Amino acid sequence: MTYGHLHSIDLENFRSIRGHVHAPLDAKVVLVHGENGAGKTSLLSAIELALTGQIDALRRADPNYEMQLLHKRKTNGYAEINVSLDHDLARYRADLTEQTISFEERLPVELTEFFVERAYLPQSLLGQLLQIYQEAGSDVDSPLARFVSNLLGLDRLDALEIGLSPLQDLRNVRRVINRWSIVENEISRLKTIIQDQFRTKEPIAEDLAAKRSNLVAIYAALEVEHDEKLPEEAAPTPDEIRIEDENRLAKVTDELRLLASIRRDISDSLDSDTHDIEVKLAEHVENTEEALRIWREAHEDIASDVRLRVEAIFPNVDFATDLVAFRNEAKRLLSAEQNQLNNRVQRARQEAKQLTDAREQLEVANAQLRTIDKEVSAIASNAGALSTIFAEISNFIVDDNCPVCGRDYAELEEGSLREHVHNRALALSSSAERLILLGRSRNDHKDSIDRLVQTIDGLESSQVHMEVLARMDRRAGAITLTLRLLEEVGPRLEDGQQLIEANVAAQRALANVRLRSSRRLAIRENLNDLARSAEISYEGQSDTIEALASRIELTLTKTRDHTSKRVRSWAEARGIIHDIRNSKERISVIDSTIAEYEFQLKDYESALQRGKNLRTEGRRIRNAVDEVRSAIIRREFNDRLNKLWRDLFLRLAPSEEFVPAFRIPQSETRRLQPKLYTPHRDLGDEGAGGTPGAMLSAGNLNTAALTLFVALHLSVSVQLPWLILDDPVQSMDDIHIAHFSSLLRTLSKEHARQVIIAVHDRQLFEYLRLELSPAFADDSLITLELTRSSIRDTQCISNRYSFQEETALRIA
Amino acid sequence: MSTSPLVSAIAKRLRAAGYSDVATPFRVASVSFDFTRVMRGRDGRAHDLVIVIDTATGEMGDTDSVQVRRRIETLSRALDVVGSRLVLTVVLAGASTANDIEALSETCRVLVVEPIGVGLDGVPKDKLARQQLDDRIRLLLPLEIPPRDEGLDVEPAADEALKTKLPNTIDKNFLQVLLNSSRHGEDAVEREMRRVFDDRMKIEDVS
């Protein structure tokens, strides 16, 4: 799509224009003239409104400017503009009422941008331009920065950056975005609730677990197969077992009832005496049996041991079985035998000893006899003669020299020789005496030996053999032992005999009693049947039917108790299962509550997540804003712009030595901090002056502003070929005006821009009308003159000028 | 015909810019006018009548500012009389007083070309001289828009640039809302941002 000229505009009750105004615009240049307040600005701003849906300059002054657009005291109005578009006309219209403003169509956004930034220079913007030079500041809030920002759309980027800045800090996010805090609070509230629910659920779950373990314990006691984790789900097996238990209980109860009736029969069938007797007798039998059994356990061994011993001692004697009789007989026999044996042994011993003694005496006597014989033989028979000789010799002995041999006796140092001979003579005389005594003793001993030999012979003939003696000794020992045992056992044997007799007597008595009742047998049969059916073992005929009945009753009662306990356990289990179901139900209610809250929580969390995502996006946009702005600044403020600006400026102020220029940003520029300076026209940066405000006159400052706008318009590719200028020459001097009109002509005729310019100065209007008048066949100019007064509607008189061949100049 | 190098240089430059010489003397409303050098544009500049005055060495009274002014005023009046749309531009080649220029400016557009380095053949001696010459008569020359840098044929507006800068995955609705509101300043951006947040963070109807 290529936009051509603005074609025409229709206005009604728009701002200062009252009534309807039609203005053709289909010319290369449109000159609008009118006194101040006649509606020039209204007409130009109507173009902006109809095309873009807004009036940027007014919006800056008053955000609610839209309510001021309708002419005072009018109820509706409109602004409609036709634009040639690809050989056709496009219509843009804004309808106004007191309250609303509506549009049929608008320029695309990017064209709107272009229009606002580079095609339309409203007076306010120019005013801003002029302000630029009065303030030398180059910070972000300086008028120049604001103006350039505005022109380049950087103010939008700034707005984006500042507007999005709360997103940087979460605290600001919470402060600025209400819902963020709401959602965050709601999330924390829901989390608390969910936690509470979990806390509520916990004891129930614990209780449930406890109940389950109870149930498991009960089932274990009942020996029922079950799931350890979900015991309550153990059906149907437990049910079967339970029914079995209940049936068993019913059966046992029936059996007990039957037993009760049998017992009634028993009590009916017997008088109580007989019955009691039988009971007592049976009891007695039992007692005696028991006593006997106890006695036997304690004494049977020793009793039979004694009996065996006795029987061994007297193998030929037949002893009675009666224990007491046995004892007496045995005692008597044993005592007699013991006496006899003792006597015999004693005598045999005495004789043996006598014999030994005699033999010893004999031995001694023989020895003495032999000694006497020996001494007798030793004593010589010449002892008497020799003694006489010695007595004579002794008379010859004077000293120790032997008169017989001459030897000196003194050499022996054994006394004197005399004494020695004397002693020898004495000795020889005593031996004779001794011989007589010996003879006498020999006779005595001979007699004694004879007597002893006689005694020994007698004793040897009556001597008992040692084996026999030993046998007798053993027998005597056994008897003594047996007797002692018998003596010990005696009382027990008496007791045993008594017990046996008592038992026998008791059994006899019982049998007698039992024989008396045949009916009781029948009853017993019944009881036996019952016992069988109740699977009770019934050994021991000694039981009375009462005892049997009692025993059956005991068993049945035990069974009943056991079974009823089981049945109670079943009931308890059912109760627990019921409780478990309740608990589970409660848990499921809580769970579903939790689920519900968690569902809500999820919603909120996902909302928060969306918020976070959006925040990320916002921050990303904000970061991109920085980069884009930096790129735009670098792109726009380049040598090319300066060159263009210089060209335009010098067209309007050819004699100005200093030209305004932007310092080219060297580094990455985040925020726009444009710096203006004035390089020298000829010397460039070498002769650069200060800021334009310091270096340029007021008129040249205006020129600088105006040319900057045009330079910016020209520096980008043309999207809308329109330059709409609202009274841009208010403070220009004549020279500048002449130059300016030339520039407009250049733009219009060489660069195909449709120039629409409003001026209030009549002279200037006339001048421009001349200067901009069609210069070639296809050229065109329209002038619009707006007039208004308080009593009538606005009038717009349009004049179309077409090309006329210039004939004034003639070659002379 | 003046042989002043400066005048020659101006004439050459103008001829290069599409102007053509107007033979002198010429007549307007049966009044004859003769100037050192007269040139006229064509096409869009067809109404431009350029009169070069050689204030230094000129003949025909060019050196006398009073005479010059009188002749220009006469020409101007003559053109008015015949209802011509021709626009007069006087180029003063050589030194001139400010008073003279101001006085002339009341009747026509005045450009002053002070003496600059021009060879005898009317060719500026160097680049600086050439620029100086152009600068002085720039108004008469075609406006040349310097060629754009490579790759900058289309310069997207700020918002377009922003869109391009951001990854494709960016939340386009959010971005558009922000871009739209950015026209109305930072408060509007914040307000719209808040609105989008509030809207986006709404809890979906559970039922």
Side-chain angles (χ1 to χ4, degrees):
Chain A
M1 287 199 305
T2 308
Y3 283 86
H5 288 171
L6 299 169
H7 188 268
S8 65
I9 186 162
D10 281 86
L11 301 172
E12 190 170 296
N13 299 330
F14 183 82
R15 299 188 68 189
S16 60
I17 291 171
R18 190 164 72 187
H20 176 253
V21 158
H22 172 84
L25 299 173
D26 53 334
K28 290 192 189 302
V29 179
V30 178
L31 266 175
V32 184
H33 175 253
E35 296 300 319
N36 284 332
K40 302 185 296 294
T41 301
S42 299
L43 187 135
L44 297 186
S45 63
I47 298 176
E48 182 182 0
L49 181 71
L51 287 172
T52 69
Q54 63 173 6
I55 301 172
D56 218 36
L58 289 183
R59 186 185 52 71
R60 275 177 229 286
D62 176 8
N64 297 317
Y65 74 97
E66 292 178 353
M67 293 301 105
Q68 319 297 329
L69 294 180
L70 189 65
H71 189 83
K72 291 283 165 267
R73 293 187 296 281
K74 296 291 179 185
T75 53
N76 52 49
Y78 68 88
E80 179 184 316
I81 186 153
N82 290 295
V83 183
S84 64
L85 176 66
D86 295 336
H87 313 294
D88 206 350
L89 284 183
R91 193 177 73 131
Y92 298 88
R93 180 182 166 111
D95 279 294
L96 308 171
T97 69
E98 281 169 304
Q99 299 301 324
T100 62
I101 178 164
S102 56
F103 304 93
E104 282 178 12
E105 203 177 342
R106 279 186 251 183
L107 284 180
V109 175
E110 65 273 12
L111 291 181
T112 297
E113 301 290 329
F114 186 89
F115 182 89
V116 170
E117 289 167 8
R118 311 207 185 211
Y120 178 41
L121 179 63
Q123 267 187 306
S124 55
L125 193 55
L126 193 64
Q128 227 179 328
L129 276 170
L130 288 170
Q131 202 193 345
I132 289 168
Y133 304 107
Q134 266 121 55
E135 293 187 31
S138 63
D139 62 358
V140 289
D141 286 325
S142 71
L144 174 66
R146 279 208 302 273
F147 168 72
V148 177
S149 291
N150 191 2
L151 265 189
L152 297 179
L154 296 184
D155 57 341
R156 292 182 56 191
L157 295 179
D158 291 347
L160 277 177
E161 182 177 34
I162 297 167
L164 291 175
S165 63
L167 295 185
Q168 296 301 101
D169 190 334
L170 195 56
R171 281 166 300 184
N172 287 333
V173 172
R174 290 198 185 103
R175 183 175 55 76
V176 170
I177 297 155
N178 292 336
R179 196 168 288 276
W180 192 288
S181 314
I182 293 171
V183 167
E184 276 188 337
N185 290 340
E186 192 61 20
I187 284 171
S188 94
R189 186 183 75 85
L190 285 171
K191 279 184 174 163
T192 311
I193 290 176
I194 289 168
Q195 249 172 22
D196 285 351
Q197 289 290 330
F198 272 116
R199 267 201 287 277
T200 313
K201 180 182 157 178
E202 203 174 325
I204 300 173
E206 277 168 13
D207 185 46
L208 176 63
K211 289 215 168 89
R212 275 183 175 146
S213 69
N214 274 355
L215 188 56
V216 166
I218 289 171
Y219 276 163
L222 288 172
E223 291 167 350
V224 172
E225 266 183 42
H226 57 273
D227 184 343
E228 293 275 337
K229 283 175 184 158
L230 293 169
E232 70 273 17
E233 309 288 345
T237 320
D239 269 352
E240 286 169 9
I241 298 172
R242 178 177 57 77
I243 290 162
E244 207 174 285
D245 278 339
E246 284 169 359
N247 288 346
R248 183 177 298 132
L249 184 60
K251 180 170 171 260
V252 167
T253 312
D254 283 350
E255 282 168 352
L256 276 169
R257 207 172 290 129
L258 178 62
L259 183 64
S261 92
I262 289 172
R263 291 195 120 173
R264 270 196 303 281
D265 281 355
I266 292 169
S267 61
D268 286 352
S269 68
L270 289 172
D271 55 82
S272 57
D273 274 359
T274 318
H275 173 72
D276 286 349
I277 288 164
E278 188 181 344
V279 169
K280 273 180 190 155
L281 282 176
E283 204 173 286
H284 188 50
V285 167
E286 217 168 85
N287 289 344
T288 53
E289 268 176 1
E290 179 65 16
L292 189 57
R293 189 183 60 74
I294 292 167
W295 181 86
R296 279 198 170 120
E297 261 173 33
H299 308 302
E300 184 82 90
D301 290 352
I302 196 160
S304 57
D305 178 48
V306 168
R307 181 177 281 267
L308 283 174
R309 282 171 191 273
V310 171
E311 282 172 352
I313 293 168
F314 304 108
N316 298 326
V317 181
D318 204 10
F319 287 100
T321 48
D322 184 312
L323 292 173
V324 175
F326 161 73
R327 188 196 66 171
N328 291 342
E329 184 68 8
K331 200 171 174 183
R332 192 181 54 80
L333 286 174
L334 284 169
S335 300
E337 184 74 8
Q338 188 184 36
N339 283 339
Q340 201 181 347
L341 273 176
N342 281 351
N343 288 341
R344 281 175 69 192
V345 166
Q346 208 174 359
R347 203 167 57 233
R349 289 245 163 82
Q350 256 173 350
E351 284 176 357
K353 183 157 171 47
Q354 281 172 352
L355 183 58
T356 312
D357 288 352
R359 280 177 180 159
E360 201 177 352
Q361 283 168 3
L362 182 61
E363 199 72 27
V364 168
N366 281 333
Q368 282 174 338
L369 197 56
R370 277 193 304 273
T371 309
I372 291 168
D373 284 348
K374 221 171 174 181
E375 194 174 336
V376 166
S377 63
I379 298 171
S381 49
N382 55 0
L386 198 50
S387 160
T388 314
I389 299 166
F390 280 173
E392 285 179 4
I393 292 172
S394 60
N395 294 331
F396 299 98
I397 300 168
V398 273
D399 57 13
D400 284 341
N401 287 333
C402 180
V404 175
C405 65
R407 255 189 93 185
D408 188 1
Y409 190 73
E411 288 175 359
L412 291 173
E413 293 179 348
E414 287 181 355
S416 67
L417 184 59
R418 185 185 291 263
E419 203 162 331
H420 175 67
V421 172
H422 183 63
N423 283 350
R424 289 286 295 180
L426 270 178
L428 285 172
S429 72
S430 65
S431 291
E433 277 173 44
R434 176 82 183 147
L435 208 52
I436 300 163
L437 187 67
L438 287 172
R440 215 169 30 230
S441 293
R442 198 177 182 274
N443 285 342
D444 286 351
H445 281 296
K446 192 73 181 165
D447 287 349
S448 159
I449 288 168
D450 288 348
R451 210 173 44 243
L452 282 169
V453 169
Q454 214 174 351
T455 309
I456 287 167
D457 283 350
L459 282 171
E460 273 180 344
S461 66
S462 64
Q463 190 71 33
V464 178
H465 197 274
M466 281 313 287
E467 252 174 61
V468 176
L469 190 60
R471 208 158 47 230
M472 281 162 65
D473 255 350
R474 273 200 297 281
R475 189 172 168 84
I479 287 169
T480 308
L481 179 64
T482 310
L483 259 178
R484 208 184 65 235
L485 284 173
L486 196 60
E487 208 57 46
E488 276 174 21
V489 166
R492 290 175 224 166
L493 288 178
E494 274 174 33
D495 288 351
Q497 186 57 38
Q498 269 176 16
L499 289 171
I500 291 166
E501 281 169 7
N503 181 247
V504 168
Q507 291 210 4
R508 197 171 295 135
L510 180 64
N512 285 340
V513 171
R514 279 185 181 154
L515 277 171
R516 288 206 299 268
S517 172
S518 60
R519 190 169 170 193
R520 288 171 66 88
L521 285 174
I523 292 169
R524 170 172 285 272
E525 270 316 299
N526 286 346
L527 283 176
N528 286 347
D529 287 347
L530 182 57
R532 262 193 302 278
S533 115
E535 294 169 0
I536 300 164
S537 66
Y538 52 98
E539 295 163 5
Q541 292 296 322
S542 64
D543 276 356
T544 62
I545 49 175
E546 280 83 4
L548 183 56
S550 298
R551 210 145 62 80
I552 292 170
E553 186 175 28
L554 191 68
T555 310
L556 286 178
T557 311
K558 226 155 93 187
T559 307
R560 187 194 59 195
D561 289 351
H562 175 70
T563 312
S564 76
K565 196 174 154 203
R566 279 177 69 90
V567 170
R568 272 199 307 280
S569 290
W570 282 116
E572 197 185 343
R574 286 168 82 176
I576 289 173
I577 289 172
H578 179 73
D579 288 351
I580 286 175
R581 293 207 172 120
N582 278 349
S583 295
K584 280 165 90 175
E585 216 162 279
R586 284 178 64 194
I587 286 174
S588 110
V589 167
I590 290 171
D591 280 343
S592 70
T593 311
I594 288 173
E596 196 178 302
Y597 281 119
E598 275 175 345
F599 190 70
Q600 283 185 33
L601 181 63
K602 229 167 73 188
D603 277 348
Y604 278 99
E605 278 175 338
S606 79
L608 187 61
Q609 192 51 51
R610 288 197 297 277
K612 283 177 177 167
N613 292 344
L614 206 54
R615 183 180 169 214
T616 309
E617 298 281 74
R619 294 172 70 168
R620 193 175 290 164
I621 290 169
R622 190 172 180 270
N623 292 339
V625 160
D626 268 359
E627 291 176 35
V628 166
R629 182 170 48 210
S630 175
I632 288 177
I633 289 168
R634 265 179 289 132
R635 187 189 72 203
E636 295 291 339
F637 295 92
N638 51 22
D639 288 324
R640 187 164 165 270
L641 177 71
N642 277 343
K643 206 168 167 190
L644 203 51
W645 192 11
R646 182 180 184 279
D647 188 318
L648 294 168
F649 180 79
L650 283 177
R651 278 168 198 271
L652 300 195
S655 55
E656 178 60 60
E657 287 192 354
F658 295 96
V659 292
F662 283 101
R663 280 203 192 278
I664 308 301
Q666 298 300 324
S667 57
E668 291 246 329
T669 311
R670 282 275 152 127
R671 298 294 301 266
L672 175 64
Q673 295 188 344
K675 264 203 169 84
L676 286 172
Y677 75 124
T678 49
H680 191 270
R681 181 181 57 183
D682 297 332
L683 304 174
D685 284 357
E686 281 172 36
T691 60
M695 302 301 291
L696 304 178
S697 67
N700 280 348
L701 280 179
N702 196 351
T703 304
L706 195 55
T707 49
L708 175 58
F709 176 78
V710 178
L712 288 168
H713 171 87
L714 293 173
S715 69
V716 299
S717 59
V718 58
Q719 295 176 53
L720 296 172
W722 313 322
L723 262 176
I724 301 169
L725 309 171
D726 189 3
D727 223 349
V729 288
Q730 288 189 338
S731 61
M732 278 188 189
D733 55 28
D734 292 346
I735 301 174
H736 285 109
I737 287 166
H739 296 357
F740 179 60
S741 57
S742 169
L743 173 61
L744 291 181
R745 207 180 45 187
T746 305
L747 294 172
S748 161
K749 303 193 193 314
E750 289 178 7
H751 292 279
R753 299 302 200 275
Q754 182 180 24
V755 175
I756 298 172
I757 180 167
V759 292
H760 76 280
D761 186 79
R762 182 82 210 173
Q763 233 184 323
L764 178 60
F765 170 69
E766 295 297 343
Y767 182 82
L768 289 174
R769 187 162 62 87
L770 175 68
E771 173 105 24
L772 298 173
S773 59
F776 46 92
D778 198 24
D779 204 1
S780 50
L781 167 70
I782 288 174
T783 59
L784 300 173
E785 288 191 69
L786 290 166
T787 55
R788 70 169 268 205
S789 74
S790 53
I791 51 163
R792 58 171 174 80
D793 285 356
T794 305
Q795 289 207 318
C796 175
I797 300 155
S798 64
N799 271 305
R800 183 180 295 271
Y801 297 84
S802 51
F803 175 66
Q804 286 175 5
E805 197 66 52
E806 179 61 50
T807 54
L809 216 59
R810 289 180 188 283
I811 306 304
Chain B
M1 190 61 72
S2 170
T3 53
S4 157
L6 192 55
V7 173
S8 306
I10 292 168
K12 264 186 191 167
R13 182 68 187 91
L14 288 176
R15 271 198 290 276
Y19 289 79
S20 52
D21 290 299
V22 175
T24 51
F26 58 85
R27 296 158 60 95
V28 176
S30 56
V31 182
S32 175
F33 295 91
D34 197 3
F35 291 97
T36 303
R37 179 78 65 161
V38 180
M39 305 191 85
R40 189 176 169 186
R42 63 161 189 258
D43 301 335
R45 295 183 180 273
H47 287 160
D48 268 334
L49 190 67
V50 182
I51 292 164
V52 185
I53 307 290
D54 181 1
T55 62
T57 59
E59 299 156 32
M60 292 172 278
D62 276 10
T63 53
D64 181 352
S65 62
V66 179
Q67 267 200 55
V68 169
R69 195 168 73 220
R70 194 163 56 234
R71 283 157 66 205
I72 295 297
E73 279 172 1
T74 312
L75 174 60
S76 177
R77 199 166 303 129
L79 288 171
D80 280 350
V81 168
V82 298
S84 167
R85 291 177 182 176
L86 287 174
V87 177
L88 270 183
T89 302
V90 172
V91 178
L92 299 174
S96 307
T97 67
N99 282 341
D100 296 340
I101 297 164
E102 203 174 318
L104 263 180
S105 294
E106 285 171 18
T107 38
C108 63
R109 181 183 297 129
V110 180
L111 299 175
V112 180
V113 184
E114 296 114 359
I116 50 177
V118 179
L120 288 173
D121 54 353
V123 175
K125 283 195 285 192
D126 52 16
K127 199 179 158 193
L128 175 64
R130 194 157 45 246
Q131 185 195 293
Q132 283 176 324
L133 175 64
D134 279 10
D135 282 348
R136 303 306 185 269
I137 59 169
R138 198 164 280 285
L139 198 62
L140 301 172
L141 304 178
L143 175 63
E144 282 174 18
I145 296 175
R148 247 177 278 278
D149 293 344
E150 198 69 25
L152 282 174
D153 262 3
V154 178
E155 283 147 8
D159 53 355
E160 284 304 310
L162 193 58
K163 281 184 198 166
T164 322
K165 190 92 214 163
L166 288 165
N168 240 340
T169 53
I170 199 79
D171 188 325
K172 296 204 172 51
N173 290 337
F174 186 41
L175 179 61
Q176 198 53 54
V177 167
L178 291 176
L179 285 175
N180 291 345
S181 63
S182 70
R183 285 196 188 82
H184 308 291
E186 62 209 48
D187 292 341
V189 170
E190 192 183 305
R191 194 169 54 241
E192 283 303 296
M193 172 189 84
R194 198 157 50 211
R195 197 183 55 70
V196 172
F197 263 97
D198 285 350
D199 189 51
R200 203 65 71 79
M201 292 179 78
K202 238 178 227 161
I203 303 305
E204 286 122 11
D205 197 357
V206 179
S207 64

